[in-house]
Structures are given as structure tokens and as C-alpha cells.
Amino acid sequence: MYKEAHFDGYNSIPGVWDEMYLQNSDIRPHYQRVIDYLSKESPDDLGKKEELAQRLFMKQGITFTVYNSGEGIEKIFPFDIIPRIITGSEWNFVEKGIKQRLTALNLFLKDIYHNQFIVKDGIIPIDAIYSCPHFLREMYQVDVPYDIYVHIAGIDLIRDEEGTFYVLEDNLRTPSGVSYMLENREITKRLFPDLLPNCGVRSVTDYPNILYRNLQALSPRRVSNPTIVLLSPGIYNSAYFEHTTLARLMGVELVEGRDLVVNNQKVYMKTTTGLQQVDVIYRRVDDEYLDPLVFNPNSVLGVPGIMGAYRKGNVAIVNAIGNGVADDKSIYIYVPDMIKYYLNEEPLLKNVPTYRLNNPDEQKLVFENINKMVIKKTNESGGYGMLMGHASTEEEIDRYKLEILKEPRNFIAQPTISLSAAPCYIQGALRPRRIDLRPYALCGPDGIEIVPGGLTRVALKEGSLVVNSSQGGGSKDTWVLA
Amino acid sequence: MPEFKIQHITRYSYDGAVRDSANQVILFPIVDVHQTVLKHDLHITGNPIVDTHVDYYGNEVGSFTYSVPHNQMVINSQLVVNTMPRQLPMDDIFPAQQWETLTQLQYTVPYIDFLKREYFDGIDELKAVVSGQKNEGDTPYQLALRFCQYVYKNFEYIKGVTTVESKLEEIWKLKAGVCQDFAHMLTEMLRLVNIPARYVSGYICPNHSGMRGEGATHAWAEAYIPNYGWLGLDPTNNCIANETHVRLAVGRNFLDCSPVKGVYKGSSGHHLEVAVSVGYQDHEPEPIADKFAERVTAPGPFTNNGNDGSKNSYQRYMEMIQQQQQQQQQQQ
Amino acid sequence: MLSRVAASFYWLSRYIERSDGILRMLKINYASSQDAIQGFTWEPVIRIFSGADQELFDKLNNDSRTVINYMVTDKTNPNSIISIITHSRENARGVQEHINTDLWQCLNEYYHCVQDKSLSTRLKKEDPISVLDILIKQVMLYYGTAEVTMERGPGRSFMNIGKYLERAIQSIDILDIKFGPLNNNPDLLTDTTYWKHLLQSLGGYELYLKTYRDGLEAHNVLEQVILNNDFPRSVIYSVNNIQRYFDRLKLDSSMTDYQELSFFIGKLQSHIKYSSVKGIQNDGLHLYLTHLKDQLYQIGNLMNERYFANS
């Protein structure tokens, strides 16, 4: 009925995989039911749904904080009401691929902090490891429970014009955004009553339970009710909302560094009844700030002496310390080799071709084709410090090149990948916008589990390829069909 | 085979009570064929349990906490150490071959860590000095000795002009500093010509006065000489660090070897006093009750009382937490 | 309960109570400034909330609007409404998962109301009482919401201890400053407007009229503000409540800490309970009030040390 009103003017972007449309403008079968549903809704109805979504987010205080000249401003992470849909078979492939990748990354971390076979065998050049600022010598020969380093991973996936999945980034330190996966789903339930069960959408609500179970299993003390805390940098952190949400959903205490104290290599939290020993810490504080005694001495977000307690095995820390050496953008290049080396398998998920700017040949190639490249800093994330070759002026490029030449180790380049597009509700009509996908994987003693879903981030600006929230991106509910 | 009795006292005094202090000490001499420890008593205020582990560089590191409110903390380390002189390098292999050996080592563990250069404003000037010092046909050993002499001659030994955190840039501009800075500069010069270089922390026990670095912990450098191994070079005294130098720790830089460091909570500033005294053979070390060699005053506590509207609430929050947590570390 | 969380509850509540005191004080004093043709001074108000700072008196120049703006919207004043409500909200944000959304939203609204850029202009140009009333209403909303929604657990006890401690200290401060000038100016003893304003700024004028039939007398004022069990801003009422809510913390305390503080509070409570106006006046009011304040501060310090882990 209202199909034309929604879809008139929806032009698939040439050379881009459209999640909803086939080449000949037929609708992909897995989007059919949603389209049928939307067709019964007038543009006005959809407008109202969008307003309702806004209101729900505001009311629940689902915000992140952006700092402008020191004063924090709370903002809503823009939410697009149209779900992104992944078929069961697509998901099976993604799930297998991520499990394979994480298994290898975990083995890599264990190896690099112990025997370093992979370096000895020349698979990864030693300077790639030793020049990586996230390779923490403090972790050398430190054993972690069950040899699990990556308890929580957020693997960023994108799709090229053929629909092939690529891994863009492995986030193995303190990946964020999972609260949006959960909240987006709750909002969608309200926006489109009954549509989720009708379409056979798999549930994501198990996430906090699985995480809690895994955290519990890590307790060094064999007690029935170990003390588990979520360590947050505090109210000024941009993800503070997520920290409170996860703490609430798991029923664990939300603590800040100043709530904890180390005494004789054990960690305690300060309560009104005295000190209470802490067994497991799900920390959302970066390695660098975790222990001012061992790492950045100026950090006031951490817990002095916690590294000692961790080394002794008196407290479990999630994710493990020192994971940055595995998700560093210049180590990323070697992940397919890791998979072959440790698992003797061919990688299922592909890497985006990546050039190291400290390699003279590759640097030359990049500089010659800079208009087709995205250049990134290896030690930055969140879309900061990037150069998008195709969208930059000559002056910007020249300035960036100078910066690269100062410390080429800190940069990598990738050809501009055409992210896939999905329909978004933009000013009263559906329009294609570029998206990525971040599923969240949980590794526990019983293996790796990935809740069927994730965070789909979307570049809401027309023509934009940057999905980061700090750069004008938003998010969508992500449906995995049974 | 000299035997030294070393007493090393570190005393932190606080203006008011502080608590929750977490500390790390690297005060355990390295044990190898050139150095043995006959006795070691480590006494710390409050008798905390000192947990030790071996770090990445092979140093024994102790950690302890002291939670209850306290106004003072004293770390008293008493050692009896035996050292054995080591023969100097024969240096009878063709220079080119030695340099080639070093080239082959550069991408191997552990040498890769000891070759990493620091970038600083002035590195080009230093590079010019380094190539000026180098003669055709020099062996790494000869060049290392010359660098050691260069630092000794061109940098002035002045206490108090640098701090524990001084960077190369500052030292290079000042052309002055203490043994920590001298060792820092020498390691950088050696690394610039691809000689692996380590920072060493320890004690100097000259058995006659006049050497620099007495009365406190000392620092020097080690250069890796092909077919020999690590050779100690003391740029502060322009000598080879041999049986008169007792090694506590090695690492890439001062931060890897810091003998005593800690973090505590409380709004009080602290004074740090360090004293080291050495007795030889049967002589006891001189009592060091009132002979503290260094007196470092930390910056006073942050005050929060002023009507400071220029700061937003975030900055005030950070200051508030900062006020509760402070660091302590000594310079070498 | 985490020490930090307990401390946040306590402080968020102290700040709110302080803002309430400041706003009422400003409102009544502004009204009385309209009654007096000459001789009205803001000095006592400034002294209560900003200390005896001659430079500040000079700067504010006894100008009603300037004083009110300084006390409400000036970010450089650590005790202005805007500063303390910002602190209060930050404390609440740190315990957001322990309070319900209604209370958080209520506090958030108060904060945004104070942050409103037009507030300062309105205080300069419009009727200040109407503007102050808007803010006072926010406090009332907060108190109502807290009463209805807060879980009856230790969090609420810490909040109420903070609230009543702050209130007791304020009432003592007001008495101390208002009774101080009597030594030099005995005429004030019979100045009925003087006592009326004191009672009004504590919201106790009507109760006074009901209780005492023989007009405004300084010693009766003293009795009501210190010793009246039914006057919600009396010192004894506040201390009774501190005792009451502290008692509920028994299970959330270590035994020795609980006993020590409980004894301390009980001692203070009895001390006040068995005071009489005559006795107080014989001993010297200022001395008496100073002693009470010291004891209340001591309770604050002990809370800080034993419950908030800030020894």
C-alpha cells in the first residue's frame, strides 16, 4: 500500500552490495516480511515510530558523553528504526569464521607471552612484535586462567560489492557497544510488535548471562559466590552508560579504581562493612591506566599493585592484560598467517588487504595510489586520525604524508572498501546507507559463544563510509534469522 | 675477591598520615659468576610480606603493600656481596666481523630491546657527534670506551639540575646531570651505532673516596661486545664497571630498573631521603643515621579549596582523585 | 555497600539540603530587604554560606540582586546553587544503578533548571522571589520523589544522615550568626522583625505563633530552634533523625565502627535533650553552639573515616 511512498527514490548505490535488494531490484527473500510489514505502515506511522524510539532512548538515559573543551555533553547514539537482517546461513559462516579467528588469536597471545614459537619460526617478524607499544613485557611468562586472554571480542566485519565478509578490525581489549545491541533490540520490540517472532529472529538476551557465567568460572577462589565487579573509569567515561547497564544486567557491583585496594597481592573493595575480597574484575579501563605502579604512573583510574595480584593468580582480569599486541593494526596483517600456523586451517574470514608504511615498497605503492587508500594510525581507534584518500584535498594528503614519514611504524593503509548498504529511514523515506557489523564473541572455559546478533553501525551521512559514533554514525538493530 | 657490606636506606616521610601504599623494589643483586650474595636483610616499616618475582629482564622484583595509615616508611636493605673481577675483552677479532655479528643480532631477542633508540630534539646533533667519534677500523669495544669518555668529558656532573623523569632532550640541552642521565645518554649513543646497550642500576664500592655516585644508588650502562658479552661502562666515572660495581638490575632504561617506587593515597606531600653506605671486608658500614645523601621534596599537595571557577567539574574531579593518589620514586 | 556509593548518597543529599537552606534564606532576606528603608544588610547571609570575607562583602556591595546572583548562578562560588547542584548530580550519576530513574530524572531536572542560561538575567530583571520559588519547588519535588521511591535500605539511611547533619549545622549557623550581634546591640532583643525573619528563613514562624502566645522573645526562638522535637528544622529533631537512620545501618557496618559512632551520636543527643534555654544562656550561647557544631563535624569525620574509607 505504502510501498511506493517508502521506496520511491531508493536507488541502490552502483558497485555496492545492497543488503535488501538484488541486482534487478527484486527484494532479497529474507527482507520480504519486513518490507510487507512496512508497506502497511504510512510514512506518518513510521515517523511516529522514529519519534517513539528517540523518546525511549532519552527517557532511559541511553547516552554517551562527548567532550567539547572539557565540558561533557550527553548525546544519544543515533538509532535507525529499520533492522538489518542477516540470514541463518550467512550467520553460520560468520560465526564459524569468528570462532576460528579468535581461537587463533588466543593461541597467539599465549604463545607471544610464553615461547614465541611464531616469531622463532619467522611467521611474524620480531620487530612487528617488539615495536608494538601494546606488547607488554610485564605479561611475559604470566599464566592466565584456562589460557584465555580474549574473553570478550568485538570483531568488525564489512562486506564488499560481492557480499563477501571481511574482517576490518579485531577488538580484543575493551570492546564497547554491546549495550546498544541489547537496547536496540528492546526498542525494536516496542516499535514493531510481533514482528520479531513472525520473522523468526533469534534472541540476543542471553549475552549478560553467558558473560556472567564465564566470569564466575574464572574465580581463583573456589567459593560458591565469588565477588565479581565491573571496573569503570567513572562517570566521565563516554561508555559509562554501558558500564551501568552491564553491571545491572549481571547483578555485579560497578566499581571505580578508588573503590579497590591491593593488600598482600589480593584485591579488595572498600565497603561500609570493611574490605571484601574481589575475585574477578571485568575491567573497562585500558591496560595503560590499570596499574599506576607498573604502567602509566599518572593514572588515577587504576588500582596500584593490581598487576602483582594478577600475576599471582589471586584475581582474574577480563580481558587479559596485554591483548593489544594481537589487535594492533600492524599485527592484523598476520592474523591469516596465525590461523594457518596454529590451526593448520585456511582462514574463513578474509582480511582487508593491508600495507605497512614502514615497508619501503609498500609505502611507495600506497603513496602512488593514495586516492584509493584509507590510511589509519595503528594506535588509534574510533575513526580518529584516519585519512580517506578519495575524500581528502591535496594539502591534507601532503600534511598526512609528512606525519607518516616521521614514524612510519604507526601507520597502515588499506584500499577503500566499499561497505555494503542497507535501507535506513531518512527524513520520511527509505534510503541506502553504508553499514558494518560487530558481533560480540564470548570465550569461556567451555568454548566460544557468539550471541546471534551484534551491533550494526551505519554511516548516516549520504555517501559517507565512516560508521563511528564519534564521526556521525548511528546504529541499527541486527537480526539473525533462525 | 672483594666483599662489600652495603646498607641502603630509603626513607619516605609524609606531612600527614597516608595509606594504601603499593610499592615495588628492585634491590636484589643479580647473582652470576661475577657476583654472589652472602647475606641480605630487607627490613620495611610494618613488616609487610614482600612478594618477589623475576621480571622480563631477569631481575628479581619485590612488591609489597602497606595499607594502614602511616607517617613514615623506611626500607632498609643490608647486603653482604662478593664480587669477582672479570677479564676485559681480548678484542682480537677483525672489526668488520664484529660489526657483522652485531648486525645479525639486531632482530633477535633480547638484543632488539636494547637497540631501540629514543627520538628527541637534538638527535641529529647527537648522530653527528657519534659519527665524529667513530674511526675507521674501530672495534665496538674501542668505540664504546670512546663514547663513555665522551659522556664523561662533555657532561657536567651536577646534582639537582635534572629529575627522575628528565628526558634526553633536557640532558642534551643542559649537558649536565647525574649518573642516571649519564647512563641514559651513553645507552642512546651506543644504540645509534647498533651496539646493544642496557641501563644498569646498582652500587659503586670504590674502597677509596672521590668516586661519583657514592652514598646513593648508582647507575651505569652495559654494552654488548661480540665474543665477550655485556661489558659495564660507567660514564659518570669514565671507567669500566667491574668488581667495584654491584649490579641490582638491568633493563632498557631507568624505568625498568627503578630501585624503589610506589604509589600511596593521601593528600600529604612526601620527603624522600636515600642513603647508601659501604663497608669493606671486615669494616662495618658507617652508621648512616644522619647522613642522608639526597633530600628530595615532592611538590606539595593539590589544594581544592580555592574558588577556582576556571576549572570545570571534570577537571576538579580528576584533581580530587589525584589528590588522593601520589607517586614516589627516587632518582639515581 | 561500597564505601564510595555510601559517600555519594550522603553527599548528594547534603548538597540538596544545603541548596534548600540557601534558597529559603535568600527568599526571606530579599523580602525583608523590601521592608527596610535603610540598614538592611546581607552580611549574615554571606557569612553563613561564604564565610567572613571582607573582599567579598565589598564586591557584592550589599546589593540584593548581586548577592542573589552570586549565591545562585555564580560558578566561581563553590557554595552557589549551581555549584552544589552540579556536585549533587555528579554524586547521583556515580550511583545511578542504585537509585531509580524517577529520582535521577528529578535531580537531572533540577540541574538543568539551575543551568538555564536565562536564570541569571531573570534574577536581575524580574521578581527574584518568583525565580527562587521555581528552584525551591525543584527541591520539594526531589524530597517527595526520594520519599516515595527510595528503597528502604542503607542507601536511604546514608542519604538521611547527610540531610539531617547538614540541616542541624545550618540551623546552628543561623542561630550563631543572628544571636551574635546581640552583645553589641541589645536593641535587637526587642526588634520583632529581626526574630520574625529568623523564624521565617527556617520556616518556623507559624509554629512559633501557635506555640508561644506572648509575642516574639529571643529565648523562645532559641528554645524552638534548638529544643523543639516537633519543629523539623530544630537541632534536636535533626539529631534524633541522625540517630534513627544511623541505627538502621547496624547490619551494614563493622561492629566496632557501629558501636563507636552510635555511642557518639547518642551522647550528643542526650546532651541536647537535657539542655534548657536557661542553662544554655548561663553557659554562653556561642560556646554551646560551637560545641554542638564540633560534635556534628566529628560525626561527619567519623562517617568519612569508618564508612567512606577516607581515613
Side-chain angles (χ1 to χ4, degrees):
Chain A
M1 279 158 282
Y2 292 106
K3 199 174 165 196
E4 273 90 57
H6 299 325
F7 290 96
D8 256 8
Y10 187 105
N11 300 316
S12 292
I13 310 162
V16 169
W17 178 267
D18 194 297
E19 301 283 345
M20 176 179 70
Y21 274 129
L22 289 161
Q23 296 299 58
N24 56 5
S25 287
D26 282 346
I27 286 171
R28 291 181 198 276
H30 60 283
Y31 264 90
Q32 195 58 55
R33 282 195 185 177
V34 170
I35 300 302
D36 291 346
Y37 185 99
L38 292 177
S39 301
K40 289 181 206 136
E41 307 273 327
S42 72
D44 202 34
D45 290 336
L46 284 189
K48 278 187 190 141
K49 286 188 191 301
E50 194 184 33
E51 269 169 40
L52 173 63
Q54 295 283 337
R55 228 175 28 245
L56 289 172
F57 272 107
M58 245 323 191
K59 198 173 145 203
Q60 293 173 35
I62 307 173
T63 56
F64 65 100
T65 316
V66 188
Y67 286 96
N68 260 337
S69 59
E71 197 89 39
I73 301 164
E74 279 158 52
K75 287 193 169 171
I76 300 186
F77 188 21
F79 172 72
D80 181 69
I81 56 170
I82 313 294
R84 182 258 180 93
I85 307 173
I86 299 168
T87 64
S89 62
E90 280 172 346
W91 179 256
N92 287 343
F93 174 76
V94 165
E95 194 181 17
K96 255 199 223 149
I98 291 177
K99 282 185 178 172
Q100 178 194 51
R101 198 168 168 101
L102 275 184
T103 309
L105 284 163
N106 232 326
L107 289 168
F108 166 72
L109 281 163
K110 156 97 179 167
D111 186 26
I112 211 68
Y113 287 123
H114 289 82
N115 297 312
Q116 303 193 338
F117 291 125
I118 197 163
V119 174
K120 284 173 192 154
D121 287 349
I123 310 294
I124 301 180
I126 181 173
D127 55 326
I129 305 288
Y130 276 74
S131 66
C132 176
H134 308 295
F135 172 59
L136 301 182
R137 288 146 185 86
E138 291 80 1
M139 278 300 289
Y140 184 67
Q141 299 290 12
V142 173
D143 293 321
V144 301
Y146 303 100
D147 287 338
I148 300 171
Y149 288 79
V150 187
H151 309 85
I152 303 155
I155 308 289
D156 288 345
L157 301 170
I158 56 173
R159 301 180 85 174
D160 70 358
E161 63 271 21
E162 308 289 321
T164 308
F165 282 100
Y166 287 82
V167 175
L168 187 62
E169 227 169 76
D170 303 290
N171 295 289
L172 311 177
R173 288 173 245 181
T174 52
S176 64
V178 76
S179 60
Y180 294 103
M181 171 182 85
L182 301 170
E183 296 291 347
N184 288 355
R185 177 60 55 83
E186 292 309 309
I187 301 272
T188 305
K189 285 178 191 169
R190 305 275 304 271
L191 296 182
F192 302 110
D194 300 324
L195 186 58
L196 287 151
N198 285 345
C199 293
V201 180
R202 296 176 65 189
S203 164
V204 292
T205 48
D206 239 6
Y207 182 88
N209 309 335
I210 303 172
L211 178 56
Y212 183 76
R213 203 184 61 219
N214 286 351
L215 293 175
Q216 214 172 11
L218 298 174
S219 171
R221 278 194 304 175
R222 298 270 160 234
V223 289
S224 58
N225 195 12
T227 303
I228 301 170
V229 299
L230 194 158
L231 174 63
S232 164
I235 60 171
Y236 291 101
N237 187 270
S238 63
Y240 185 68
F241 162 73
E242 175 152 305
H243 307 159
T244 56
T245 305
L246 290 174
R248 189 167 42 82
L249 289 174
M250 292 191 288
V252 304
E253 197 77 60
L254 180 73
V255 302
E256 296 179 23
R258 57 192 161 126
D259 295 326
L260 302 181
V261 60
V262 175
N263 203 351
N264 279 331
Q265 322 287 332
K266 287 188 180 119
V267 183
Y268 298 87
M269 63 180 181
K270 297 175 178 175
T271 76
T272 54
T273 38
L275 296 181
Q276 183 180 336
Q277 191 178 342
V278 173
D279 301 288
V280 183
I281 301 175
Y282 172 25
R283 50 80 178 236
R284 295 294 294 262
V285 171
D286 292 340
D287 286 353
E288 194 192 344
Y289 299 98
L290 205 51
D291 186 349
L293 186 60
V294 181
F295 304 114
N296 184 346
N298 297 315
S299 167
V300 289
L301 304 174
V303 187
I306 197 172
M307 186 63 206
Y310 183 53
R311 193 189 304 109
K312 290 280 274 186
N314 289 339
V315 69
I317 294 179
V318 168
N319 282 343
I321 297 173
N323 282 4
V325 68
D327 70 2
D328 185 273
K329 289 191 177 69
S330 56
I331 299 292
Y332 162 86
I333 303 164
Y334 304 101
V335 178
D337 297 326
M338 288 177 202
I339 294 170
K340 287 176 212 153
Y341 182 80
Y342 293 115
L343 307 178
N344 200 18
E345 290 172 8
E346 280 304 310
L348 295 169
L349 288 167
K350 290 185 179 173
N351 256 20
V352 175
T354 303
Y355 306 102
R356 293 163 298 179
L357 287 159
N358 58 345
N359 176 312
D361 295 343
E362 295 179 23
Q363 190 189 81
K364 186 159 170 274
L365 187 116
V366 170
F367 282 0
E368 279 166 5
N369 297 286
I370 203 151
N371 291 324
K372 293 178 213 148
M373 295 285 176
V374 181
I375 307 183
K376 297 176 181 173
K377 289 188 176 163
T378 54
N379 52 4
E380 297 240 21
S381 61
Y384 290 102
M386 284 199 316
L387 179 92
M388 309 282 286
H390 71 283
S392 302
T393 65
E394 215 155 297
E395 206 191 339
E396 283 169 328
I397 292 177
D398 286 343
R399 219 174 321 131
Y400 206 85
K401 272 188 184 170
L402 277 178
E403 220 183 307
I404 294 172
L405 292 172
K406 269 190 217 156
E407 201 72 68
R409 161 69 176 77
N410 294 348
F411 297 87
I412 54 117
Q414 293 170 335
T416 319
I417 294 256
S418 207
L419 310 184
S420 62
C424 293
Y425 185 75
I426 309 275
Q427 286 162 355
L430 295 179
R431 294 286 176 267
R433 290 290 183 267
R434 307 302 189 78
I435 55 164
D436 77 347
L437 173 66
R438 176 184 288 187
Y440 294 89
L442 297 170
C443 312
D446 301 328
I448 301 173
E449 281 178 85
I450 309 173
V451 285
L455 180 66
T456 293
R457 295 184 299 177
V458 48
L460 290 167
K461 265 189 278 177
E462 190 170 5
S464 170
L465 289 171
V466 188
V467 297
N468 302 86
S469 58
S470 54
Q471 318 281 311
S475 77
K476 280 170 163 300
D477 188 19
T478 306
W479 292 7
V480 172
L481 303 184
Chain B
M1 201 176 75
E3 186 179 306
F4 304 115
K5 294 190 175 104
I6 301 166
Q7 184 173 26
H8 175 185
I9 298 182
T10 307
R11 177 187 293 162
Y12 291 106
S13 319
Y14 309 98
D15 303 335
V18 305
R19 66 198 155 86
D20 291 351
S21 117
N23 303 274
Q24 185 180 296
V25 294
I26 312 187
L27 297 171
F28 309 93
I30 294 169
V31 175
D32 59 19
V33 287
H34 308 289
Q35 191 168 287
T36 48
V37 178
L38 303 175
K39 196 162 171 246
H40 189 188
D41 289 322
L42 184 61
H43 185 82
I44 299 164
T45 314
N47 291 317
I49 299 166
V50 180
D51 184 77
T52 61
H53 75 278
V54 175
D55 73 6
Y56 179 78
Y57 305 99
N59 307 309
E60 191 174 348
V61 179
S63 337
F64 65 90
T65 50
Y66 189 27
S67 313
V68 297
H70 54 282
N71 294 307
Q72 174 168 283
M73 186 173 69
V74 180
I75 300 164
N76 184 354
S77 173
Q78 287 175 288
L79 280 166
V80 182
V81 184
N82 239 338
T83 63
M84 276 132 284
R86 185 182 175 193
Q87 230 181 1
L88 298 184
M90 305 289 285
D91 204 28
D92 52 0
I93 294 171
F94 287 119
Q97 204 178 326
Q98 292 197 44
W99 290 109
E100 177 54 29
T101 308
L102 292 180
T103 307
Q104 280 167 11
L105 287 180
Q106 62 181 327
Y107 290 117
T108 58
V109 178
Y111 307 102
I112 185 166
D113 267 340
F114 302 116
L115 283 165
K116 187 163 165 61
R117 296 151 197 179
E118 277 168 62
Y119 287 86
F120 67 102
D121 275 354
I123 191 161
D124 290 334
E125 289 164 55
L126 184 64
K127 277 181 181 163
V129 167
V130 162
S131 37
Q133 292 283 315
K134 190 177 178 185
N135 297 331
E136 188 82 16
D138 269 346
T139 60
Y141 176 52
Q142 287 163 336
L143 190 57
L145 289 177
R146 200 168 307 122
F147 284 172
C148 182
Q149 188 179 33
Y150 175 86
V151 174
Y152 176 76
K153 282 194 171 159
N154 289 277
F155 289 78
E156 242 185 300
Y157 183 79
I158 312 174
K159 285 179 186 173
V161 294
T162 53
T163 70
V164 68
E165 283 166 346
S166 291
K167 302 258 184 303
L168 280 176
E169 193 177 311
E170 199 180 331
I171 305 162
W172 182 248
K173 270 196 204 128
L174 285 170
K175 295 283 187 304
V178 293
C179 48
Q180 175 182 333
D181 310 307
F182 279 54
H184 194 173
M185 192 52 73
L186 180 58
T187 53
E188 177 79 356
M189 290 176 77
L190 291 164
R191 290 172 191 179
L192 281 173
V193 295
N194 209 30
I195 301 176
R198 307 199 286 209
Y199 181 98
V200 191
S201 123
Y203 306 110
I204 185 165
C205 313
N207 207 1
H208 60 84
S209 50
M211 293 284 262
R212 293 163 172 178
E214 279 181 280
T217 54
H218 190 49
W220 59 97
E222 280 182 350
Y224 186 80
I225 305 298
N227 297 88
Y228 178 80
W230 294 102
L231 170 73
L233 295 165
D234 182 351
T236 314
N237 292 300
N238 192 26
C239 66
I240 285 178
N242 208 329
E243 76 275 14
T244 53
H245 287 64
V246 172
R247 289 161 293 140
L248 287 176
V250 295
R252 290 166 299 181
N253 48 40
F254 166 73
L255 288 176
D256 289 336
C257 307
S258 180
V260 178
K261 65 174 173 179
V263 178
Y264 63 89
K265 296 223 165 126
S267 51
S268 308
H270 67 265
H271 305 282
L272 164 63
E273 295 163 294
V274 180
V276 172
S277 86
V278 182
Y280 302 93
Q281 315 299 31
D282 294 329
H283 302 280
E284 288 300 315
E286 276 181 64
I288 50 177
D290 288 302
K291 143 183 183 198
F292 282 102
E294 286 177 55
R295 197 179 167 90
V296 185
T297 308
F302 297 86
T303 47
N304 231 5
N305 311 325
N307 297 355
D308 198 352
S310 63
K311 296 198 175 80
N312 65 38
S313 46
Y314 173 68
Q315 289 159 337
R316 282 199 304 268
Y317 169 82
M318 291 311 281
E319 271 181 16
M320 183 269 291
I321 300 187
Q322 198 113 40
Q323 189 179 348
Q324 295 185 352
Q325 177 182 301
Q326 307 202 20
Q327 322 151 28
Q328 50 195 14
Q329 187 161 208
Q330 80 171 83
Q331 193 181 15
Q332 294 199 309
Chain C
M1 172 171 276
L2 271 185
S3 295
R4 174 180 53 85
V5 170
S8 293
F9 273 128
Y10 169 89
W11 279 107
L12 95 83
S13 176
R14 269 194 81 161
Y15 284 129
I16 296 273
E17 180 65 26
R18 192 176 302 170
S19 81
D20 187 52
I22 294 172
L23 289 168
R24 286 170 192 284
M25 185 67 98
L26 290 176
K27 183 178 159 184
I28 298 308
N29 276 275
Y30 178 77
S32 72
S33 78
Q34 302 298 299
D35 283 337
I37 299 164
Q38 52 178 353
F40 178 83
T41 170
W42 283 94
E43 197 189 314
V45 176
I46 301 167
R47 276 180 62 196
I48 293 171
F49 295 108
S50 293
D53 178 349
Q54 192 55 47
E55 216 174 293
L56 183 64
F57 297 152
D58 295 345
K59 197 183 93 183
L60 300 176
N61 199 23
N62 205 36
D63 176 70
S64 299
R65 308 253 176 177
T66 314
V67 172
I68 294 177
N69 250 315
Y70 175 75
M71 302 289 273
V72 176
T73 60
D74 194 335
K75 285 185 184 169
T76 65
N77 173 6
N79 247 341
S80 67
I81 301 295
I82 201 164
S83 301
I84 60 182
I85 292 308
T86 304
H87 285 315
S88 185
R89 180 177 179 266
E90 271 159 20
N91 277 298
R93 226 166 115 72
V95 295
Q96 220 175 328
E97 78 277 16
H98 298 264
I99 55 179
N100 69 24
T101 330
D102 293 326
L103 191 62
W104 163 249
Q105 280 176 359
C106 186
L107 194 53
N108 214 15
E109 225 179 286
Y110 187 9
Y111 169 77
H112 286 302
C113 193
V114 186
Q115 284 282 339
D116 189 342
K117 296 267 184 286
S118 69
L119 199 65
S120 165
T121 345
R122 291 173 61 198
L123 282 172
K124 275 185 204 125
K125 300 219 169 99
E126 293 172 19
D127 163 34
I129 293 186
S130 316
V131 182
L132 293 168
D133 272 340
I134 295 173
L135 298 176
I136 290 173
K137 200 172 156 196
Q138 291 291 336
V139 185
M140 294 294 95
L141 265 174
Y142 164 86
Y143 277 141
T145 314
E147 179 58 29
V148 175
T149 64
M150 267 307 285
E151 180 190 322
R152 263 53 182 168
R156 180 164 175 268
S157 298
F158 284 112
M159 275 168 87
N160 282 331
I161 292 168
K163 169 173 154 179
Y164 288 110
L165 196 68
E166 180 71 28
R167 185 179 288 182
I169 291 170
Q170 271 190 35
S171 294
I172 290 170
D173 273 340
I174 291 169
L175 284 181
D176 205 14
I177 282 182
K178 283 286 196 178
F179 274 80
L182 289 184
N183 296 333
N184 303 326
N185 189 359
D187 290 348
L188 284 176
L189 262 177
T190 50
D191 181 349
T192 50
T193 36
Y194 189 78
W195 301 114
K196 187 177 158 189
H197 285 146
L198 193 168
L199 288 167
Q200 279 180 327
S201 62
L202 290 168
Y205 184 55
E206 281 139 45
L207 180 67
Y208 184 93
L209 293 181
K210 271 188 243 167
T211 320
Y212 305 99
R213 296 289 168 190
D214 44 357
L216 285 159
E217 295 281 348
H219 64 95
N220 289 342
V221 172
L222 211 53
E223 186 176 72
Q224 173 168 334
V225 178
I226 299 178
L227 302 172
N228 187 333
N229 277 312
D230 299 329
F231 177 43
R233 288 185 176 268
S234 77
V235 180
I236 188 70
Y237 181 87
S238 299
V239 173
N240 285 343
N241 274 288
I242 294 173
Q243 192 275 332
R244 177 172 164 215
Y245 287 105
F246 182 75
D247 217 37
R248 297 190 186 174
L249 288 177
K250 199 166 180 174
L251 290 177
D252 296 279
S253 315
S254 87
M255 216 48 221
T256 48
D257 292 343
Y258 171 80
Q259 281 166 346
E260 190 178 340
L261 248 146
S262 180
F263 177 73
F264 203 90
I265 295 168
K267 211 172 78 182
L268 175 63
Q269 198 182 11
S270 319
H271 177 66
I272 303 169
K273 202 168 154 191
Y274 298 111
S275 299
S276 66
V277 174
K278 212 174 201 138
I280 294 170
Q281 280 173 332
N282 283 344
D283 294 354
L285 175 65
H286 178 68
L287 225 65
Y288 180 78
L289 294 175
T290 309
H291 173 73
L292 292 192
K293 218 160 88 170
D294 281 350
Q295 300 292 298
L296 288 163
Y297 281 147
Q298 190 59 29
I299 292 171
N301 288 342
L302 283 169
M303 291 297 294
N304 203 25
E305 204 177 292
R306 305 300 167 86
Y307 286 84
F308 308 151
N310 294 318
S311 50

